[in-house]
mmCIF file of all heavy atoms in Angstrom:
data_model
loop_
_atom_site.group_PDB
_atom_site.id
_atom_site.type_symbol
_atom_site.label_atom_id
_atom_site.label_comp_id
_atom_site.label_asym_id
_atom_site.label_seq_id
_atom_site.Cartn_x
_atom_site.Cartn_y
_atom_site.Cartn_z
ATOM 1 N N TYR A 1296 -10.922 -17.102 -12.433
ATOM 2 C CA TYR A 1296 -10.211 -15.890 -12.550
ATOM 3 C C TYR A 1296 -8.852 -16.080 -13.166
ATOM 4 O O TYR A 1296 -8.316 -17.218 -13.162
ATOM 5 C CB TYR A 1296 -10.120 -15.027 -11.300
ATOM 6 C CG TYR A 1296 -8.925 -15.508 -10.360
ATOM 7 C CD1 TYR A 1296 -7.647 -14.889 -10.578
ATOM 8 C CD2 TYR A 1296 -9.051 -16.515 -9.424
ATOM 9 C CE1 TYR A 1296 -6.590 -15.292 -9.728
ATOM 10 C CE2 TYR A 1296 -7.987 -16.837 -8.598
ATOM 11 C CZ TYR A 1296 -6.764 -16.250 -8.763
ATOM 12 O OH TYR A 1296 -5.678 -16.606 -8.005
ATOM 13 N N SER A 1297 -8.289 -15.063 -13.810
ATOM 14 C CA SER A 1297 -6.940 -15.054 -14.290
ATOM 15 C C SER A 1297 -6.233 -13.761 -13.869
ATOM 16 O O SER A 1297 -6.774 -12.642 -14.033
ATOM 17 C CB SER A 1297 -6.899 -15.209 -15.836
ATOM 18 O OG SER A 1297 -5.569 -15.233 -16.278
ATOM 19 N N ASP A 1298 -5.108 -13.950 -13.152
ATOM 20 C CA ASP A 1298 -4.332 -12.755 -12.767
ATOM 21 C C ASP A 1298 -2.825 -13.235 -12.695
ATOM 22 O O ASP A 1298 -2.497 -14.095 -11.763
ATOM 23 C CB ASP A 1298 -4.809 -12.292 -11.412
ATOM 24 C CG ASP A 1298 -4.217 -10.889 -11.045
ATOM 25 O OD1 ASP A 1298 -2.927 -10.728 -11.164
ATOM 26 O OD2 ASP A 1298 -4.933 -9.963 -10.625
ATOM 27 N N PRO A 1299 -1.957 -12.668 -13.513
ATOM 28 C CA PRO A 1299 -0.564 -13.132 -13.462
ATOM 29 C C PRO A 1299 0.142 -12.788 -12.183
ATOM 30 O O PRO A 1299 1.216 -13.306 -11.925
ATOM 31 C CB PRO A 1299 0.062 -12.346 -14.687
ATOM 32 C CG PRO A 1299 -0.851 -11.189 -14.948
ATOM 33 C CD PRO A 1299 -2.164 -11.661 -14.529
ATOM 34 N N HIS A 1300 -0.391 -11.848 -11.477
ATOM 35 C CA HIS A 1300 0.266 -11.407 -10.182
ATOM 36 C C HIS A 1300 -0.293 -12.129 -8.973
ATOM 37 O O HIS A 1300 0.247 -11.955 -7.884
ATOM 38 C CB HIS A 1300 0.119 -9.880 -10.042
ATOM 39 C CG HIS A 1300 0.795 -9.115 -11.152
ATOM 40 N ND1 HIS A 1300 2.108 -8.879 -11.235
ATOM 41 C CD2 HIS A 1300 0.227 -8.635 -12.330
ATOM 42 C CE1 HIS A 1300 2.365 -8.241 -12.356
ATOM 43 N NE2 HIS A 1300 1.256 -8.019 -13.010
ATOM 44 N N VAL A 1301 -1.387 -12.867 -9.132
ATOM 45 C CA VAL A 1301 -2.037 -13.536 -7.982
ATOM 46 C C VAL A 1301 -2.340 -14.950 -8.408
ATOM 47 O O VAL A 1301 -3.399 -15.368 -8.786
ATOM 48 C CB VAL A 1301 -3.372 -12.875 -7.567
ATOM 49 C CG1 VAL A 1301 -3.963 -13.461 -6.318
ATOM 50 C CG2 VAL A 1301 -3.135 -11.379 -7.424
ATOM 51 N N PRO A 1302 -1.270 -15.895 -8.312
ATOM 52 C CA PRO A 1302 -1.440 -17.214 -8.825
ATOM 53 C C PRO A 1302 -2.433 -18.060 -8.014
ATOM 54 O O PRO A 1302 -3.088 -18.931 -8.559
ATOM 55 C CB PRO A 1302 -0.015 -17.769 -8.761
ATOM 56 C CG PRO A 1302 0.722 -16.928 -7.761
ATOM 57 C CD PRO A 1302 0.097 -15.557 -7.901
ATOM 58 N N ILE A 1303 -2.513 -17.771 -6.716
ATOM 59 C CA ILE A 1303 -3.459 -18.457 -5.877
ATOM 60 C C ILE A 1303 -4.217 -17.380 -5.071
ATOM 61 O O ILE A 1303 -3.564 -16.473 -4.523
ATOM 62 C CB ILE A 1303 -2.786 -19.412 -4.894
ATOM 63 C CG1 ILE A 1303 -2.024 -20.508 -5.664
ATOM 64 C CG2 ILE A 1303 -3.740 -20.008 -3.929
ATOM 65 C CD1 ILE A 1303 -1.159 -21.424 -4.778
ATOM 66 N N PHE A 1304 -5.512 -17.464 -5.057
ATOM 67 C CA PHE A 1304 -6.271 -16.452 -4.341
ATOM 68 C C PHE A 1304 -5.846 -16.498 -2.787
ATOM 69 O O PHE A 1304 -5.938 -17.495 -2.153
ATOM 70 C CB PHE A 1304 -7.764 -16.735 -4.431
ATOM 71 C CG PHE A 1304 -8.612 -15.531 -4.076
ATOM 72 C CD1 PHE A 1304 -8.960 -14.594 -5.061
ATOM 73 C CD2 PHE A 1304 -8.979 -15.220 -2.784
ATOM 74 C CE1 PHE A 1304 -9.714 -13.484 -4.707
ATOM 75 C CE2 PHE A 1304 -9.653 -14.116 -2.413
ATOM 76 C CZ PHE A 1304 -10.029 -13.207 -3.415
ATOM 77 N N PRO A 1305 -5.435 -15.320 -2.268
ATOM 78 C CA PRO A 1305 -4.872 -15.278 -0.961
ATOM 79 C C PRO A 1305 -5.990 -15.375 0.139
ATOM 80 O O PRO A 1305 -7.148 -15.034 -0.063
ATOM 81 C CB PRO A 1305 -4.199 -13.932 -0.924
ATOM 82 C CG PRO A 1305 -4.953 -13.081 -1.821
ATOM 83 C CD PRO A 1305 -5.397 -14.044 -2.999
ATOM 84 N N VAL A 1306 -5.571 -15.722 1.353
ATOM 85 C CA VAL A 1306 -6.415 -15.650 2.523
ATOM 86 C C VAL A 1306 -6.617 -14.256 2.856
ATOM 87 O O VAL A 1306 -5.705 -13.449 3.030
ATOM 88 C CB VAL A 1306 -5.839 -16.490 3.685
ATOM 89 C CG1 VAL A 1306 -6.687 -16.367 4.924
ATOM 90 C CG2 VAL A 1306 -5.639 -17.906 3.293
ATOM 91 N N MET A 1307 -7.930 -13.817 3.004
ATOM 92 C CA MET A 1307 -8.222 -12.406 3.422
ATOM 93 C C MET A 1307 -9.052 -12.478 4.620
ATOM 94 O O MET A 1307 -9.675 -13.526 5.021
ATOM 95 C CB MET A 1307 -8.954 -11.701 2.263
ATOM 96 C CG MET A 1307 -8.205 -11.671 0.912
ATOM 97 S SD MET A 1307 -9.124 -10.947 -0.385
ATOM 98 C CE MET A 1307 -9.165 -9.200 0.157
ATOM 99 N N ARG A 1308 -9.120 -11.297 5.287
ATOM 100 C CA ARG A 1308 -9.943 -11.281 6.577
ATOM 101 C C ARG A 1308 -11.389 -11.566 6.410
ATOM 102 O O ARG A 1308 -12.006 -12.204 7.168
ATOM 103 C CB ARG A 1308 -9.711 -9.959 7.242
ATOM 104 C CG ARG A 1308 -8.341 -9.774 7.984
ATOM 105 C CD ARG A 1308 -8.382 -8.586 8.908
ATOM 106 N NE ARG A 1308 -8.536 -7.334 8.198
ATOM 107 C CZ ARG A 1308 -7.484 -6.610 7.779
ATOM 108 N NH1 ARG A 1308 -6.232 -6.997 7.967
ATOM 109 N NH2 ARG A 1308 -7.729 -5.394 7.177
ATOM 110 N N GLU A 1309 -11.948 -11.032 5.318
ATOM 111 C CA GLU A 1309 -13.348 -11.124 5.098
ATOM 112 C C GLU A 1309 -13.864 -11.859 3.879
ATOM 113 O O GLU A 1309 -15.002 -12.019 3.575
ATOM 114 C CB GLU A 1309 -13.984 -9.719 5.109
ATOM 115 C CG GLU A 1309 -13.808 -8.953 6.452
ATOM 116 C CD GLU A 1309 -14.458 -7.540 6.418
ATOM 117 O OE1 GLU A 1309 -15.006 -7.234 5.377
ATOM 118 O OE2 GLU A 1309 -14.337 -6.859 7.429
ATOM 119 N N HIS A 1310 -12.887 -12.272 3.066
ATOM 120 C CA HIS A 1310 -13.235 -12.882 1.789
ATOM 121 C C HIS A 1310 -12.410 -14.163 1.598
ATOM 122 O O HIS A 1310 -11.239 -14.244 1.947
ATOM 123 C CB HIS A 1310 -13.009 -11.973 0.568
ATOM 124 C CG HIS A 1310 -13.508 -10.579 0.776
ATOM 125 N ND1 HIS A 1310 -14.829 -10.255 0.659
ATOM 126 C CD2 HIS A 1310 -12.831 -9.399 1.117
ATOM 127 C CE1 HIS A 1310 -15.006 -8.952 0.887
ATOM 128 N NE2 HIS A 1310 -13.844 -8.471 1.188
ATOM 129 N N ARG A 1311 -13.066 -15.187 0.954
ATOM 130 C CA ARG A 1311 -12.371 -16.493 0.771
ATOM 131 C C ARG A 1311 -12.838 -17.110 -0.532
ATOM 132 O O ARG A 1311 -14.065 -17.297 -0.715
ATOM 133 C CB ARG A 1311 -12.561 -17.355 1.997
ATOM 134 C CG ARG A 1311 -11.762 -18.629 1.957
ATOM 135 C CD ARG A 1311 -11.930 -19.481 3.212
ATOM 136 N NE ARG A 1311 -11.452 -18.745 4.361
ATOM 137 C CZ ARG A 1311 -10.246 -18.729 4.768
ATOM 138 N NH1 ARG A 1311 -9.302 -19.450 4.200
ATOM 139 N NH2 ARG A 1311 -9.827 -18.089 5.813
ATOM 140 N N PHE A 1312 -11.919 -17.416 -1.317
ATOM 141 C CA PHE A 1312 -12.180 -18.194 -2.548
ATOM 142 C C PHE A 1312 -11.146 -19.365 -2.681
ATOM 143 O O PHE A 1312 -9.973 -19.097 -2.605
ATOM 144 C CB PHE A 1312 -12.174 -17.357 -3.811
ATOM 145 C CG PHE A 1312 -13.289 -16.331 -3.939
ATOM 146 C CD1 PHE A 1312 -13.066 -15.045 -3.400
ATOM 147 C CD2 PHE A 1312 -14.433 -16.656 -4.577
ATOM 148 C CE1 PHE A 1312 -14.127 -14.187 -3.499
ATOM 149 C CE2 PHE A 1312 -15.478 -15.761 -4.646
ATOM 150 C CZ PHE A 1312 -15.251 -14.522 -4.107
ATOM 151 N N ASP A 1313 -11.601 -20.550 -2.964
ATOM 152 C CA ASP A 1313 -10.710 -21.667 -3.165
ATOM 153 C C ASP A 1313 -10.412 -21.750 -4.675
ATOM 154 O O ASP A 1313 -10.860 -22.645 -5.374
ATOM 155 C CB ASP A 1313 -11.350 -22.960 -2.650
ATOM 156 C CG ASP A 1313 -10.398 -24.183 -2.710
ATOM 157 O OD1 ASP A 1313 -9.139 -23.865 -2.888
ATOM 158 O OD2 ASP A 1313 -10.839 -25.281 -2.647
ATOM 159 N N LEU A 1314 -9.681 -20.785 -5.138
ATOM 160 C CA LEU A 1314 -9.380 -20.696 -6.612
ATOM 161 C C LEU A 1314 -7.969 -20.357 -6.883
ATOM 162 O O LEU A 1314 -7.332 -19.814 -6.011
ATOM 163 C CB LEU A 1314 -10.306 -19.552 -7.222
ATOM 164 C CG LEU A 1314 -11.798 -19.721 -7.221
ATOM 165 C CD1 LEU A 1314 -12.461 -18.442 -7.692
ATOM 166 C CD2 LEU A 1314 -12.206 -20.923 -8.131
ATOM 167 N N SER A 1315 -7.449 -20.733 -8.017
ATOM 168 C CA SER A 1315 -6.152 -20.360 -8.456
ATOM 169 C C SER A 1315 -6.314 -19.784 -9.888
ATOM 170 O O SER A 1315 -7.288 -20.015 -10.562
ATOM 171 C CB SER A 1315 -5.201 -21.571 -8.482
ATOM 172 O OG SER A 1315 -5.683 -22.547 -9.265
ATOM 173 N N SER A 1316 -5.293 -18.975 -10.337
ATOM 174 C CA SER A 1316 -5.387 -18.302 -11.577
ATOM 175 C C SER A 1316 -5.433 -19.326 -12.752
ATOM 176 O O SER A 1316 -4.643 -20.268 -12.821
ATOM 177 C CB SER A 1316 -4.222 -17.391 -11.713
ATOM 178 O OG SER A 1316 -4.229 -16.654 -12.967
ATOM 179 N N THR A 1317 -6.267 -19.014 -13.724
ATOM 180 C CA THR A 1317 -6.466 -19.813 -14.912
ATOM 181 C C THR A 1317 -5.544 -19.268 -16.003
ATOM 182 O O THR A 1317 -5.533 -18.007 -16.243
ATOM 183 C CB THR A 1317 -7.916 -19.817 -15.444
ATOM 184 O OG1 THR A 1317 -8.720 -20.408 -14.382
ATOM 185 C CG2 THR A 1317 -8.108 -20.609 -16.641
ATOM 186 N N GLU A 1318 -4.849 -20.091 -16.763
ATOM 187 C CA GLU A 1318 -4.027 -19.659 -17.769
ATOM 188 C C GLU A 1318 -4.847 -19.208 -18.983
ATOM 189 O O GLU A 1318 -5.881 -19.872 -19.305
ATOM 190 C CB GLU A 1318 -3.125 -20.742 -18.319
ATOM 191 C CG GLU A 1318 -2.173 -20.312 -19.465
ATOM 192 C CD GLU A 1318 -1.366 -21.464 -19.956
ATOM 193 O OE1 GLU A 1318 -1.440 -22.613 -19.400
ATOM 194 O OE2 GLU A 1318 -0.502 -21.239 -20.910
ATOM 195 N N LEU A 1319 -4.551 -18.094 -19.583
ATOM 196 C CA LEU A 1319 -5.360 -17.600 -20.713
ATOM 197 C C LEU A 1319 -4.887 -18.196 -21.997
ATOM 198 O O LEU A 1319 -3.757 -18.012 -22.451
ATOM 199 C CB LEU A 1319 -5.262 -16.045 -20.823
ATOM 200 C CG LEU A 1319 -5.943 -15.181 -19.656
ATOM 201 C CD1 LEU A 1319 -5.850 -13.738 -19.959
ATOM 202 C CD2 LEU A 1319 -7.383 -15.671 -19.468
ATOM 203 N N THR A 1320 -5.759 -19.021 -22.593
ATOM 204 C CA THR A 1320 -5.475 -19.623 -23.853
ATOM 205 C C THR A 1320 -6.758 -19.470 -24.705
ATOM 206 O O THR A 1320 -7.807 -19.187 -24.193
ATOM 207 C CB THR A 1320 -5.191 -21.177 -23.698
ATOM 208 O OG1 THR A 1320 -6.386 -21.759 -23.236
ATOM 209 C CG2 THR A 1320 -4.082 -21.389 -22.727
ATOM 210 N N PRO A 1321 -6.620 -19.685 -26.051
ATOM 211 C CA PRO A 1321 -7.880 -19.608 -26.835
ATOM 212 C C PRO A 1321 -8.971 -20.633 -26.282
ATOM 213 O O PRO A 1321 -10.124 -20.311 -26.335
ATOM 214 C CB PRO A 1321 -7.360 -20.170 -28.212
ATOM 215 C CG PRO A 1321 -5.923 -19.675 -28.227
ATOM 216 C CD PRO A 1321 -5.422 -19.938 -26.841
ATOM 217 N N GLU A 1322 -8.530 -21.732 -25.752
ATOM 218 C CA GLU A 1322 -9.560 -22.702 -25.304
ATOM 219 C C GLU A 1322 -10.185 -22.219 -23.998
ATOM 220 O O GLU A 1322 -11.419 -22.319 -23.839
ATOM 221 C CB GLU A 1322 -8.840 -24.090 -25.030
ATOM 222 C CG GLU A 1322 -8.321 -24.759 -26.351
ATOM 223 C CD GLU A 1322 -7.062 -24.144 -26.925
ATOM 224 O OE1 GLU A 1322 -6.344 -23.493 -26.104
ATOM 225 O OE2 GLU A 1322 -6.889 -24.273 -28.096
ATOM 226 N N THR A 1323 -9.362 -21.823 -22.973
ATOM 227 C CA THR A 1323 -9.996 -21.348 -21.743
ATOM 228 C C THR A 1323 -10.883 -20.177 -21.899
ATOM 229 O O THR A 1323 -11.821 -19.950 -21.203
ATOM 230 C CB THR A 1323 -8.917 -21.077 -20.671
ATOM 231 O OG1 THR A 1323 -8.005 -20.047 -21.180
ATOM 232 C CG2 THR A 1323 -8.070 -22.356 -20.338
ATOM 233 N N LEU A 1324 -10.539 -19.275 -22.814
ATOM 234 C CA LEU A 1324 -11.401 -18.043 -23.066
ATOM 235 C C LEU A 1324 -12.630 -18.505 -23.824
ATOM 236 O O LEU A 1324 -13.760 -18.038 -23.496
ATOM 237 C CB LEU A 1324 -10.600 -17.086 -23.940
ATOM 238 C CG LEU A 1324 -9.499 -16.300 -23.151
ATOM 239 C CD1 LEU A 1324 -8.614 -15.630 -24.122
ATOM 240 C CD2 LEU A 1324 -10.107 -15.312 -22.186
#
Side-chain angles (χ1 to χ4, degrees):
Y1296 84 88
S1297 182
D1298 192 313
H1300 300 277
V1301 188
I1303 299 174
F1304 196 91
V1306 176
M1307 303 177 70
R1308 284 196 294 270
E1309 297 182 1
H1310 313 283
R1311 187 175 297 274
F1312 290 90
D1313 186 17
L1314 294 172
S1315 58
S1316 180
T1317 299
E1318 182 183 0
L1319 291 185
T1320 67
E1322 293 74 25
T1323 58
L1324 287 164

